[in-house]
């Protein structure tokens, strides 16, 4: 089955710890994204990557880091510098389009719920 | 920043009725997309409408776009209990590709059996 997987589904972190959220896709998509969702809110973009070994900050990148060593994988590390990390984290992927075509549908994983104890 | 705002924030209707939700945005766009999210799950893409389109249909879904008013509406006809979910609009601002999908705050739809 093609799709995006995220693990773990639930994650608990003690204050001061770094944690890494996994995101893997087998859709052969070039672009991958990380979003944060707070209760009753929409999604906010943390980081995105359009090609291996390259990534860009989104709207709320502070306290987060990413890597893109393989096309299929885009892990997100929530560092101790993130002051309020408790949230639902969603990974997504899409094919690339040029600016004039402007935006293709994004395919989402099932999410990881992170709670800071 | 969140460009889109959905209206209403919550909507409850009887099964079989039509559900309409609206989205307003602030800047010019390349396209607008609607997504559905079941509680605690990832988002699922429903429909994409480009800035030069005014209306689009997909099954029981009808989307309209008014770029002069910077607004869009999503109509779900003959609603079913399985349509209970949150619905989000997302915009791709002009000048960007798909990396800049900006989501609204969502409408929570409840279908009463």
């Amino acid at each position: 089955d093609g799709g995006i997987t995220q693990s773990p589904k639930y994650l608990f972190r003690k204050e001061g710890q770094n944690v890494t959220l996994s995101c893997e896709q087998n859709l052969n998509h070039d672009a991958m994204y990380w979003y944060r969702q707070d209760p009753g809110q929409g999604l906010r973009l943390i980081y995105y990557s359009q090609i291996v070994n390259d990534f860009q900050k989104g709207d709320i990148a502070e306290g987060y880091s990413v890597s893109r060593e393989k096309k299929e994988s885009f892990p997100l590390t929530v560092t101790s510098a993130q002051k309020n990390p408790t949230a639902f984290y969603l990974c997504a992927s899409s094919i690339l389009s040029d600016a004039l075509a402007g935006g293709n549908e994004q395919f989402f994983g099932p999410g990881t719920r992170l709670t800071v104890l | 920043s969140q460009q889109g705002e959905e209206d209403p924030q919550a909507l409850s209707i009887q099964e079989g009725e039509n559900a309409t939700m609206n989205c307003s945005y602030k800047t010019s766009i390349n396209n607008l997309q609607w997504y559905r999210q079941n509680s605690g799950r990832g988002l699922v893409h429903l429909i994409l409408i480009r800035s030069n389109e005014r209306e689009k249909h997909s099954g029981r879904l009808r989307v309209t776009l008014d770029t002069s008013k910077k607004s869009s509406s999503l109509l779900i006809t003959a609603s079913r209990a399985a349509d209970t979910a949150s619905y989000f609009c997302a915009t791709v601002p002009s000048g960007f590709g798909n990396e800049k999908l900006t989501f609204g705050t969502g409408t929570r739809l409840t279908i009463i059996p």
Side-chain angles (χ1 to χ4, degrees):
Chain A
D1 286 337
I4 302 181
T5 57
Q6 290 185 244
S7 61
K9 187 172 182 177
Y10 299 97
L11 186 57
F12 298 91
R13 188 194 93 169
K14 294 181 180 179
E15 287 201 21
Q17 280 184 336
N18 293 354
V19 291
T20 297
L21 284 59
S22 169
C23 177
E24 305 275 334
Q25 55 98 1
N26 62 3
L27 300 168
N28 199 32
H29 286 167
D30 287 302
M32 297 187 74
Y33 316 82
W34 274 106
Y35 294 93
R36 170 183 172 138
Q37 185 178 31
D38 292 286
Q41 300 295 314
L43 279 64
R44 292 184 289 168
L45 182 63
I46 305 172
Y47 268 99
Y48 64 95
S49 168
Q50 295 182 304
I51 194 170
V52 173
N53 292 323
D54 187 54
F55 46 83
Q56 305 296 327
K57 293 182 179 180
D59 299 318
I60 56 165
E62 185 175 352
Y64 300 96
S65 66
V66 292
S67 62
R68 187 88 186 275
E69 297 177 2
K70 297 187 299 181
K71 186 176 183 178
E72 302 79 19
S73 178
F74 192 40
L76 173 75
T77 296
V78 184
T79 75
S80 57
Q82 170 50 235
K83 299 304 178 189
N84 185 21
T86 294
F88 189 49
Y89 290 87
L90 286 159
C91 179
S93 71
S94 74
I95 63 173
L96 284 177
S97 64
D98 59 50
L100 288 177
N104 292 293
E105 63 177 296
Q106 293 187 9
F107 292 78
F108 283 81
T112 292
R113 190 166 300 280
L114 173 64
T115 303
V116 173
L117 303 174
Chain B
S1 62
Q2 294 189 303
Q3 148 138 269
E5 286 191 10
E6 282 89 340
D7 170 53
Q9 289 188 330
L11 177 63
S12 292
I13 59 173
Q14 295 290 134
E15 191 169 16
E17 293 181 339
N18 295 343
T20 300
M21 53 206 89
N22 304 295
C23 168
S24 60
Y25 57 91
K26 297 174 184 172
T27 63
S28 61
I29 60 172
N30 278 333
N31 71 58
L32 184 145
Q33 303 176 29
W34 285 91
Y35 287 81
R36 184 187 74 228
Q37 183 181 34
N38 290 90
S39 181
R41 309 290 290 273
L43 277 70
V44 175
H45 182 267
L46 296 175
I47 197 164
L48 181 155
I49 186 165
R50 301 200 184 281
S51 59
N52 60 354
E53 297 175 314
R54 292 296 166 258
E55 188 170 312
K56 205 162 182 180
H57 297 255
S58 177
R60 294 184 297 115
L61 305 180
R62 173 179 169 253
V63 169
T64 62
L65 179 64
D66 187 335
T67 53
S68 66
K69 295 181 179 178
K70 291 187 170 58
S71 68
S72 173
S73 67
L74 171 67
L75 168 68
I76 303 174
T77 60
S79 63
R80 305 168 181 169
D83 294 329
T84 293
S86 292
Y87 292 81
F88 295 90
C89 67
T91 53
V92 178
S94 296
F96 291 96
N98 50 293
E99 73 277 10
K100 280 295 199 178
L101 202 59
T102 305
F103 285 84
T105 51
T107 291
R108 186 162 54 244
L109 175 64
T110 302
I111 307 301
I112 303 165

